[in-house]
Amino acid sequence: MSLNYEEMSWRDVRDHFRKWREDNERRSDDVIQLWEAILEDKVAKTGNERHLILEQVILAALDTSRFDVAGRCIKELSVEFPGSMRVMKFKAMRLEAMERYTEAVEVLDAIIAKDETNAAPRKRKIAILKAKGRRIDAIKELNEYLKKFMIDQEAWQELCNLYLAEGDYSKAAFCMEEVLLHNPHSHLIHQRLADIRYTMGGAENIDAARTYYSQALKLNPNNLRALYGIYLCCSSIANSRALGSKRKEAYKMAQWSLEQANKLTSQVSKIENNDKIIASLESAFGHLEIKSY
């Protein structure tokens, strides 16, 4: 939607800002242009919406790297609300966006000192450590965070990602198990945990991965990745030194999963000669062997 700034009054801009807030639209470029062209000098006329507009402009300014605009709006709020933790949060966000991480951490530490139950500044500190490439420190800080906020599913998933980046798959699996406890009916979490177990390798982990892939498929019968996961796990078991009955069962399950995957892809795929491609994949996957070192 193109906006004709020349024909708009400050009331029109106010109404646009309100609509974007209600619709959760950032529209950062438009917000900054309308702010500088029309509303900045008239913001005092907006009444009770003034503070909401200033916060909206701050976020838009940070999105567009207009740190000068963000600084002016933050200063205006600081004069009216000295010592406000909400304003301090915006200060920290501006410093972080400007890559002045040390100063940003100091502001975040001040917020935490005022309110130890505030989870947001702790998360921002972890994000800063990630931005600086200090994954080990981020893991340490996130572990400390989870001692106080143990039911934060997003934090457990983030810790899992950090452990995966470090190649520590056993700890990553533990984190995903914690997420699974909070959300046992999510096929994606079962699938993610299965991926990690499969990557770890070894007979025990491959068997566990097959179980998680099976549960993911039970929760979502159209989960193609889970079907291929079952196929890979069963193919590995069939080619292992497991008991003959277990290898036979795994071979049958591998064939079944590949047939189901073939049916699913044939239904939705627009690629010609799909059966030949599946056959090629079957041949390629049949030579894969997972070993534990």
Side-chain angles (χ1 to χ4, degrees):
M1 182 181 69
S2 58
L3 299 173
N4 189 348
Y5 300 159
E6 295 180 357
E7 297 180 1
M8 296 178 68
S9 67
W10 68 267
R11 291 184 178 85
D12 296 328
V13 176
R14 178 199 60 190
D15 293 341
H16 274 90
F17 278 24
R18 183 191 301 141
K19 185 178 185 304
W20 293 337
R21 288 197 306 273
E22 291 173 352
D23 295 342
N24 289 320
E25 293 185 67
R26 296 287 274 240
R27 301 290 294 267
S28 300
D29 290 324
D30 289 331
V31 167
I32 293 299
Q33 291 179 28
L34 288 171
W35 170 258
E36 290 189 315
I38 301 170
L39 195 58
E40 185 171 11
D41 296 330
K42 305 288 193 306
V43 69
K45 296 182 179 181
T46 57
N48 295 332
E49 292 187 57
R50 175 170 164 269
H51 304 123
L52 293 174
I53 290 172
L54 286 171
E55 291 185 358
Q56 188 176 4
V57 173
I58 290 170
L59 294 176
L62 295 178
D63 286 344
T64 55
S65 299
R66 289 297 307 274
F67 305 125
D68 55 329
V69 174
R72 290 197 298 271
C73 294
I74 291 171
K75 185 177 180 180
E76 192 169 339
L77 287 173
S78 298
V79 172
E80 194 164 349
F81 303 102
S84 166
M85 285 192 290
R86 192 178 182 90
V87 177
M88 291 173 69
K89 179 193 73 173
F90 287 124
K91 288 181 180 178
M93 290 172 64
R94 178 173 177 269
L95 291 168
E96 185 181 347
M98 296 171 69
E99 298 186 0
R100 291 161 59 180
Y101 297 127
T102 303
E103 297 173 62
V105 169
E106 289 176 359
V107 176
L108 292 171
D109 285 335
I111 297 174
I112 295 170
K114 283 188 174 184
D115 182 8
E116 294 185 357
T117 63
N118 193 339
R122 297 177 187 273
K123 288 186 175 182
R124 293 316 312 164
K125 284 184 67 177
I126 296 164
I128 288 172
L129 291 172
K130 280 187 61 182
K132 295 173 74 173
R134 293 165 55 186
R135 281 201 298 261
I136 300 299
D137 291 331
I139 288 171
K140 182 180 178 181
E141 192 71 31
L142 193 47
N143 273 301
E144 289 298 319
Y145 169 85
L146 283 167
K147 289 179 182 178
K148 297 179 174 65
F149 305 93
M150 290 180 285
I151 62 171
D152 191 332
Q153 295 183 50
E154 291 182 354
W156 282 111
Q157 292 192 53
E158 183 60 38
L159 186 57
C160 174
N161 292 335
L162 289 171
Y163 279 132
L164 288 175
E166 289 296 311
D168 197 337
Y169 296 110
S170 60
K171 291 181 180 178
F174 174 82
C175 293
M176 285 310 298
E177 287 168 357
E178 287 289 334
V179 177
L180 189 59
L181 288 174
H182 293 292
N183 196 356
H185 302 296
S186 170
H187 70 99
L188 294 174
I189 296 174
H190 283 89
Q191 175 190 298
R192 183 74 183 280
L193 185 51
D195 290 342
I196 296 170
R197 288 292 186 187
Y198 181 81
T199 304
M200 291 171 70
E204 185 178 345
N205 286 314
I206 294 296
D207 201 37
R210 179 180 64 169
T211 302
Y212 287 121
Y213 279 130
S214 299
Q215 184 62 21
L217 186 63
K218 181 180 179 182
L219 293 169
N220 179 11
N222 295 319
N223 190 329
L224 187 60
R225 181 165 176 164
L227 277 170
Y228 277 122
I230 292 171
Y231 174 75
L232 290 174
C233 292
C234 290
S235 296
S236 178
I237 294 171
N239 293 322
S240 68
R241 296 179 181 178
L243 295 173
S245 59
K246 189 173 183 179
R247 293 203 306 271
K248 187 176 181 181
E249 178 189 352
Y251 177 77
K252 289 181 179 179
M253 195 171 181
Q255 292 300 114
W256 173 84
S257 60
L258 195 63
E259 289 173 4
Q260 295 301 312
N262 195 1
K263 288 180 182 178
L264 278 177
T265 51
S266 298
Q267 291 171 3
V268 300
S269 177
K270 298 179 181 179
I271 301 175
E272 296 180 0
N273 300 321
N274 199 53
D275 293 340
K276 293 182 179 179
I277 296 174
I278 295 294
S280 300
L281 286 172
E282 180 181 4
S283 176
F285 286 151
H287 293 88
L288 289 178
E289 184 177 357
I290 304 299
K291 295 183 179 180
S292 179
Y293 292 97

